Amino acid sequence: MHESELLARVPEGLLINGEWRPAEGGRTLDVHDPATGQLVKQIADASVADGKAAMDAAAAAFPAWAATPARERAELLRHTFDLLKDRAEDFALLMTIEMGKPLAEARGEVTYGAEFVRWFSEEAAHVQGRYGANPEGTGRMIVSQHPVGPCYLITPWNFPLAMATRKIAPALAAGCTVVIKPAELTPLTTMFFAQLLVEAGLPAGVVNVVTTSTAGPVSEAIIGDPRLRKLSFTGSTPVGQRLLAQAAPGVLRTSMELGGNAPFIVFDDADLDKAVAGAMAAKFRNVGQACTAANRFIVHRSLVEEFTERVTAQVKGMKIGRGTESGVSIGPLIDDRAVAKARQLVDDAVERGAELRAGGQALEGPGTFYEPTVVSDVPEGSDILREEIFGPVLAIVPFDDEDDAVRIANDTEYGLVSYVYTENLARGQRMIERLETGMMGLNIGVVSNAAAPFGGWKFSGLGREGGAEGIHEYLQTKYTLTPNPFG
Ligand code: NAP
């Protein structure tokens, strides 16, 4: 389908109580293509009053949706999954246009994002309680699960479909209604997905979408609404910390999927072919703009030079361009600030003595491109080892022994994911116990899966998305005691 035809089919209003409507005062915001800098669409820009209207709709729709049989909710999600698979190419192209990721990766995200819808369609009907005697034998204990209530979901720009489905699908499966606020930079995919839910038969008010250029005030009003019971956020740690403070007065349930600073450790007993392939996937997926992106390559001194030469050769062969062009594996970064950050981190490392092996330059516009880059021998203390790069920069640090590798890997306030390459089973098991991260890729460079509990330790967040755990973020437990029915 032609791009303009696809864009014309994406709604431009706010979805409130089942209707797409303009924002208060007709305010709009512009969405741009980061590969060209061109305007792709103008959409509604919600005000605080619009956010409150969305909250009203979610609160009003909650009792009926919570009472809808789980099988019906499951089938609606399954139908949505089928529609999403049918429209996979449209969703992929839309993500490439608004976010910039290469089309092949956008197709991968459609598969990944759709899996959350299928997974939670299956989970919806499998929520269980328990019944049993208390230890004293004097009573019967009933444990049941209930939807938490209306939820506010805030998503980032880097995975426009998957971050939305990873929250919306478990919420709906559990019987919750939602207001979702996608990122200002990439709102179109969420709007297109919400339209799909409407088409699948979702009742009015169950999912409400607010797109806005004023995330702070709109969110504060929704989070402060006493009818809200849950806040689920994916984004940066500083914003997550601020939202946690805002959620405290309402004692809201919260899920926080925050930033990362993933170590990627290559031991001297690693299979180097696998480690190089894993490194390229863990670093350059989404042009490095993933919370799970490997941030620090910690490589045993005996093979650090060979590892560096091999990744450098691959990086030099990568094609940069708009994600719709064939063969492109490096699309644009999301905006100028992302380019400036990559440049600043690389320059700081080089000034401190790191060696620039490939890349290191921002490209002339239009578009916000930064070359895929390799820096080796990065000195401890460099900003690039402390901060989340969120760009196509592979930073290498040598180490001498296992304790050294663990110390470097854990030397961060983040704890989302780690990657370990070793052919030694006992060493791999030791790493499971020693690395302070919520997830680990052991001889593999991509860990994300709808069936797995995704989430971090330390400053990387609270709660889990996906897996059997994912639906419980939207359920609350009730324990009931009754007397022993036999007297
Ligand atoms: P961000 O600046 O924190 O923004 C994330 C979302 O929060 C956006 O929708 C943004 O809206 C909104 N937001 C910003 N300020 C807000 C405020 N004061 N009140 C309420 N909402 C606010 O992060 P980002 O740059 O979009 O995303 C990158 C970050 O997300 C990275 O740190 C990455 O690691 C993290 N991330 C984590 C995971 C995970 O699962 N752990 C997954 C993906 C990304 P606007 O767009 O309107 O500013």
Side-chain angles (χ1 to χ4, degrees):
M1 184 186 304
H2 195 269
E3 290 183 25
S4 55
E5 207 183 312
L6 170 63
L7 288 166
R9 285 177 36 218
V10 177
E12 48 201 31
L14 309 171
L15 180 62
I16 297 177
N17 203 22
E19 283 178 9
W20 293 98
R21 56 157 104 156
E24 184 188 27
R27 286 198 322 167
T28 59
L29 64 84
D30 296 344
V31 181
H32 295 97
D33 178 340
T36 62
Q38 284 176 358
L39 175 70
V40 295
K41 200 169 171 85
Q42 285 191 314
I43 59 162
D45 184 0
S47 66
V48 168
D50 293 321
K52 284 185 176 161
M55 183 63 221
D56 289 343
F62 174 66
W65 183 247
T68 301
R71 179 66 71 204
E72 273 181 42
R73 297 197 303 263
E75 281 173 1
L76 187 136
L77 286 169
R78 176 64 208 209
H79 184 32
T80 306
F81 168 78
D82 292 335
L83 290 174
L84 190 47
K85 296 300 271 188
D86 290 346
R87 316 266 168 87
E89 276 303 299
D90 294 350
F91 274 90
L93 181 58
L94 186 59
M95 275 194 280
T96 295
I97 293 171
E98 70 170 338
M99 188 270 159
K101 66 181 70 194
L103 201 49
E105 289 194 33
R107 291 187 179 116
E109 183 176 342
V110 176
T111 302
Y112 175 52
E115 279 309 320
F116 287 104
V117 184
R118 174 154 66 178
W119 175 261
F120 287 109
S121 77
E122 293 159 352
E123 289 291 281
H126 297 157
V127 173
Q128 293 182 345
R130 47 183 213 267
Y131 176 88
N134 63 356
E136 299 76 19
T138 55
R140 295 293 179 266
M141 304 165 81
I142 303 164
V143 179
S144 52
Q145 300 294 332
H146 307 264
V148 293
C151 305
Y152 184 41
L153 316 176
I154 304 178
T155 54
W157 49 263
N158 60 344
F159 290 96
L161 179 66
M163 297 303 97
T165 57
R166 200 164 81 172
K167 296 187 192 301
I168 293 174
L172 300 192
C176 296
T177 56
V178 310
V179 176
I180 181 164
K181 193 209 80 60
E184 182 189 353
L185 295 169
T186 60
L188 303 181
T189 306
T190 301
M191 299 164 84
F192 207 38
F193 178 68
Q195 178 63 37
L196 209 65
L197 284 164
V198 172
E199 208 179 311
L202 190 76
V206 174
V207 171
N208 304 277
V209 183
V210 288
T211 48
T212 182
S213 63
T214 50
V218 169
S219 300
E220 205 168 346
I222 295 173
I223 295 167
D225 188 305
R227 296 167 299 178
L228 189 76
R229 292 310 323 139
K230 161 97 193 178
L231 168 65
S232 178
F233 171 75
T234 297
S236 61
T237 298
V239 174
Q241 288 166 322
R242 199 172 320 151
L243 294 175
L244 278 170
Q246 288 176 20
V251 196
L252 295 181
R253 285 278 296 275
T254 56
S255 301
M256 293 278 143
E257 296 286 355
L258 308 178
N261 179 1
F264 186 109
I265 306 176
V266 184
F267 283 104
D268 52 357
D269 51 24
D271 177 325
L272 204 52
D273 291 342
K274 286 187 202 158
V276 168
M280 297 302 291
K283 180 70 255 183
F284 294 104
R285 189 167 76 110
N286 222 31
V287 198
Q289 302 169 114
C291 53
T292 50
N295 217 53
R296 297 166 294 151
F297 289 79
I298 303 163
V299 184
H300 192 267
R301 206 175 291 280
S302 65
L303 38 77
V304 70
E305 189 49 37
E306 188 181 352
F307 175 86
T308 305
E309 281 172 12
R310 289 177 62 174
V311 292
T312 301
Q314 293 211 18
V315 162
K316 285 183 172 165
M318 292 179 111
K319 184 174 168 191
I320 309 175
R322 189 169 189 246
T324 47
E325 292 164 25
S326 98
V328 164
S329 52
I330 296 291
L333 291 182
I334 191 68
D335 60 13
D336 291 332
R337 281 189 312 163
V339 174
K341 184 173 184 193
R343 183 194 281 141
Q344 189 187 321
L345 292 175
V346 170
D347 291 352
D348 170 75
V350 171
E351 273 164 30
R352 289 170 190 261
E355 192 182 344
L356 183 64
R357 306 288 285 254
Q361 295 297 320
L363 302 191
E364 286 279 311
T368 42
F369 292 91
Y370 189 84
E371 288 181 312
T373 297
V374 178
V375 276
S376 62
D377 276 313
V378 177
E380 283 193 46
S382 300
D383 293 346
I384 207 166
L385 302 182
R386 270 189 297 110
E387 292 182 29
E388 194 177 23
I389 304 169
F390 244 58
V393 181
L394 197 157
I396 302 170
V397 185
F399 76 90
D400 293 303
D401 63 33
E402 192 176 303
D403 285 347
D404 199 19
V406 170
R407 179 188 58 77
I408 298 170
N410 287 339
D411 185 19
T412 168
E413 68 265 33
Y414 294 106
L416 189 61
V417 60
S418 50
Y419 303 93
V420 172
Y421 277 76
T422 176
E423 294 293 301
N424 177 332
L425 178 61
R427 171 172 271 160
Q429 288 176 291
R430 285 198 295 278
M431 290 305 108
I432 295 173
E433 298 192 21
R434 297 185 72 186
L435 294 180
E436 299 164 353
T437 59
M439 301 180 284
M440 183 187 290
L442 189 50
N443 294 317
I444 195 159
V446 177
V447 296
S448 305
N449 192 297
F454 189 105
W457 291 6
K458 302 189 326 193
F459 278 36
S460 291
L462 299 168
R464 292 294 179 270
E465 289 189 322
E469 290 82 351
I471 196 166
H472 286 280
E473 299 281 321
Y474 297 91
L475 290 169
Q476 54 193 346
T477 301
K478 176 174 280 180
Y479 147 66
T480 306
L481 183 66
T482 63
N484 181 339
F486 298 102

